[in-house]
Amino acid sequence: MPYDRWHWARPPKEALACPHSSPAECAARHPEAPRCEHKGKFAQQSHGAPKRWQARWRDPDGAQDSEAFTKETDAKKHENKMRSEVDAGTYIDPKKGKMLMSALVDMWLGAKQYPNPRSHYQVESRTRVHIKDQWIGGMQLNEVTASTILRWIVDRKRVLDETYVGLILSEMQSMFDLAVDDDLIRKNPCRAFTVKQQKPRRSKPTAKELPITWEQSDKIRVELADRWKAIVDVGRGLGLRQGEIFGLSDIDIIWDHPDGPMVHVQRQIAWDGSVMVFDGAKGEDDLNPKDRWIELGEEVGIALLEHMEKYPPIEVTLPHETKDGDPVTVRIIFYSREKKPVNKNYFNSFVWKPALAAVGIIADLDPELKAKGKRRWEKSRDKMMHALRHLYASMMIEAGVDIYTLADRLGHADPAFTLRKYVHRVASAGAKVRSALRNMYGTAA
């Protein structure tokens, strides 16, 4: 039975020698003893404290454990539950569930290994900012329920893209899986049915239409300063990622390749925290090189030659892979006026977005900030430089390139991913369907 933390079951020690049988009579004859007006019982020092009733049980090792409750029925229910779990061999010490969520994040990070050292920094950064430093980070594991996770999802979606929230939630689910495996808690709140119903999609459905059309890319090119114009050609003509464009060297262009001019994509400019580094192509590690070859079209080749004539490639030295890596010197094609590697944050905010606004693709939400050297743009995640890569993929499919070849040129291991995420409807799609139908009926006739 639950233990009453407010009242003595028998008179306290100063009244134990009293021969009176009833607690009320004993209390009346011993006014010096602490007494409760409730049914004439003797009061304990903890009388009136929260959670009056205490469930008590012994763990599998025979040690006594306890937990306090406000209601006697709740204490009795919990006591019976704990004793049943001990008998069934499924007992989990409730004290283990008192670990803070922030401590679980650290434990989970300490058990993770990544081929690329920068990946650990990125995971550590987002879990620290969006889990440890948030209100949920101060909660005990046994306090986190499905409703807690739902509240966290709503809270994070106010400030983050849905895809990013889905990524962090997947990592949180992995943390709770570890807690379950280590017998810290009984079940994973992230796997509750109600959470699965509201779980943000890690990847949004691909838009049917191109985020930036060929005609729009022409207009953007016009708005860019001369030193950046060829970036549009490299993006839409080679399908390179932004970091790969910024890390492109003139030695990567093989003009006399047996199969015609080719570009060897073998590096990118990446970030280790706040430090720019040279690294291999995305997803590359020591056991899995991701370099690739892409056909260089005549028009893109001419644009690059004209650019390099006006802005000759310069040598730049950056650490390899991490900020503490060995220095590597590469002659790069695109660089700033100060002859430094292109900072993506500067380029995106002060070069690309103003060009998008100039051609009417996004809006300047607060023009008055312009005079203060600041801008506030309309959301344009799908309109950034990566949209040129989507344009390249869609135009290649429209021109008849098979999906396996396209995936290889883009550096994707899974052609289905290429088809699902990078291919959009182009302007001439309807005409091609009609042409295909005419050819089908002509062949049948």
Side-chain angles (χ1 to χ4, degrees):
M1 292 293 293
Y3 175 72
D4 186 352
R5 299 175 62 231
W6 285 8
H7 304 112
W8 293 106
R10 293 193 296 256
K13 62 181 180 180
E14 60 266 31
L16 285 178
C18 178
H20 307 113
S21 57
S22 76
E25 185 180 0
C26 186
R29 292 176 178 270
H30 297 277
E32 72 282 1
R35 184 162 51 90
C36 172
E37 295 180 359
H38 179 66
K39 297 182 180 180
K41 293 183 178 180
F42 290 97
Q44 295 202 43
Q45 289 183 347
S46 58
H47 186 277
K51 298 185 177 181
R52 170 182 174 183
W53 299 97
Q54 188 178 60
R56 292 178 171 181
W57 66 93
R58 292 192 178 275
D59 66 18
D61 297 326
Q64 181 172 289
D65 209 339
S66 63
E67 188 168 347
F69 295 85
T70 301
K71 296 181 180 179
E72 182 181 12
T73 53
D74 292 339
K76 185 175 182 180
K77 182 179 178 180
H78 187 74
E79 186 175 288
N80 292 336
K81 178 184 176 184
M82 294 295 101
R83 290 176 176 176
S84 297
E85 289 178 358
V86 171
D87 293 340
T90 59
Y91 177 78
I92 293 179
D93 187 352
K95 291 188 179 68
K96 293 182 179 180
K98 295 184 182 297
M99 173 188 281
L100 293 181
M101 187 66 202
S102 57
L104 176 63
V105 175
D106 291 336
M107 185 174 74
W108 178 79
L109 284 169
K112 299 288 287 183
Q113 286 187 333
Y114 299 92
N116 190 318
R118 293 195 316 277
S119 299
H120 188 276
Y121 171 83
Q122 293 167 353
V123 175
E124 187 278 331
S125 177
R126 62 174 169 260
T127 53
R128 171 175 47 80
V129 172
H130 299 294
I131 299 179
K132 287 182 65 175
D133 293 350
Q134 299 302 317
W135 51 268
I136 195 172
M139 294 183 66
Q140 297 178 0
L141 300 187
N142 55 16
E143 296 175 332
V144 180
T145 62
S147 59
T148 306
I149 302 299
L150 291 174
R151 185 158 61 96
W152 177 87
I153 292 173
V154 172
D155 179 57
R156 292 296 86 196
K157 284 173 69 174
R158 293 192 182 102
V159 294
L160 298 175
D161 178 82
E162 183 173 348
T163 301
Y164 199 55
V165 176
L167 171 62
I168 303 170
L169 181 60
S170 296
E171 292 168 341
M172 188 187 294
Q173 179 174 296
S174 176
M175 295 173 193
F176 279 110
D177 281 340
L178 177 62
V180 172
D181 291 341
D182 281 357
D183 289 335
L184 302 179
I185 53 176
R186 183 163 286 99
K187 59 183 180 179
N188 187 336
C190 293
R191 294 188 179 276
F193 177 74
T194 49
V195 174
K196 289 181 179 179
Q197 283 184 313
Q198 300 298 323
K199 184 176 181 179
R201 292 186 297 271
R202 280 194 55 184
S203 297
K204 294 181 179 179
T206 304
K208 292 182 179 180
E209 308 299 333
L210 278 166
I212 289 180
T213 65
W214 189 273
E215 291 74 16
Q216 287 175 322
S217 70
D218 274 340
K219 294 178 181 179
I220 292 171
R221 192 181 192 282
V222 170
E223 292 296 329
L224 294 175
D226 285 349
R227 69 181 322 110
W228 308 125
K229 290 185 186 298
I231 280 179
V232 174
D233 299 291
V234 175
R236 68 185 182 181
L238 293 173
L240 270 58
R241 301 176 177 94
Q242 186 181 57
E244 294 168 345
I245 294 175
F246 293 159
L248 187 64
S249 171
D250 58 329
I251 65 172
D252 300 327
I253 305 173
I254 313 302
W255 300 99
D256 57 352
H257 192 279
D259 296 329
M262 301 285 284
V263 172
H264 188 196
V265 183
Q266 53 185 327
R267 89 183 59 76
Q268 62 174 325
I269 288 182
W271 291 76
D272 184 14
S274 59
V275 178
M276 281 190 281
V277 299
F278 280 128
D279 197 11
K282 185 177 179 181
E284 179 173 302
D285 56 56
D286 293 339
L287 301 177
N288 186 24
K290 290 285 187 178
D291 65 306
R292 63 191 191 276
W293 293 84
I294 305 174
E295 290 78 5
L296 177 63
E298 182 180 351
E299 293 79 4
V300 181
I302 292 173
L304 280 170
L305 286 172
E306 291 177 347
H307 172 84
M308 289 188 286
E309 183 178 356
K310 198 167 187 178
Y311 305 98
I314 63 169
E315 288 190 345
V316 166
T317 301
L318 294 175
H320 175 63
E321 199 173 77
T322 67
K323 59 187 176 183
D324 299 321
D326 295 333
V328 175
T329 300
V330 176
R331 198 164 59 240
I332 57 175
I333 295 175
F334 298 103
Y335 49 89
S336 68
R337 287 176 299 181
E338 296 77 19
K339 295 191 175 182
K340 295 181 179 180
V342 183
N343 183 312
K344 66 176 182 179
N345 297 320
Y346 167 81
F347 184 88
N348 292 338
S349 297
F350 296 98
V351 177
W352 190 259
K353 287 184 180 180
L356 293 180
V359 300
I361 295 177
I362 63 171
D364 187 344
L365 299 180
D366 194 346
E368 293 182 1
L369 289 176
K370 183 177 180 180
K372 302 177 183 179
K374 301 178 181 179
R375 304 296 278 273
R376 190 164 69 91
W377 307 105
E378 179 185 3
K379 286 185 177 181
S380 52
R381 182 183 179 87
D382 61 336
K383 303 291 194 303
M384 301 307 290
M385 261 181 67
H386 206 73
L388 299 177
R389 185 168 157 87
H390 285 249
L391 177 58
Y392 170 84
S394 298
M395 298 303 293
M396 289 298 105
I397 287 292
E398 196 271 342
V401 176
D402 68 272
I403 190 62
Y404 295 96
T405 300
L406 177 59
D408 179 73
R409 300 306 186 266
L410 290 172
H412 293 160
D414 182 10
F417 175 79
T418 305
L419 193 60
R420 185 172 64 251
K421 293 298 177 184
Y422 278 82
V423 178
H424 308 265
R425 185 163 51 204
V426 297
S428 60
K432 291 196 70 174
V433 172
R434 294 181 184 278
S435 176
L437 285 170
R438 284 195 298 268
N439 290 339
M440 287 168 54
Y441 275 93
T443 302

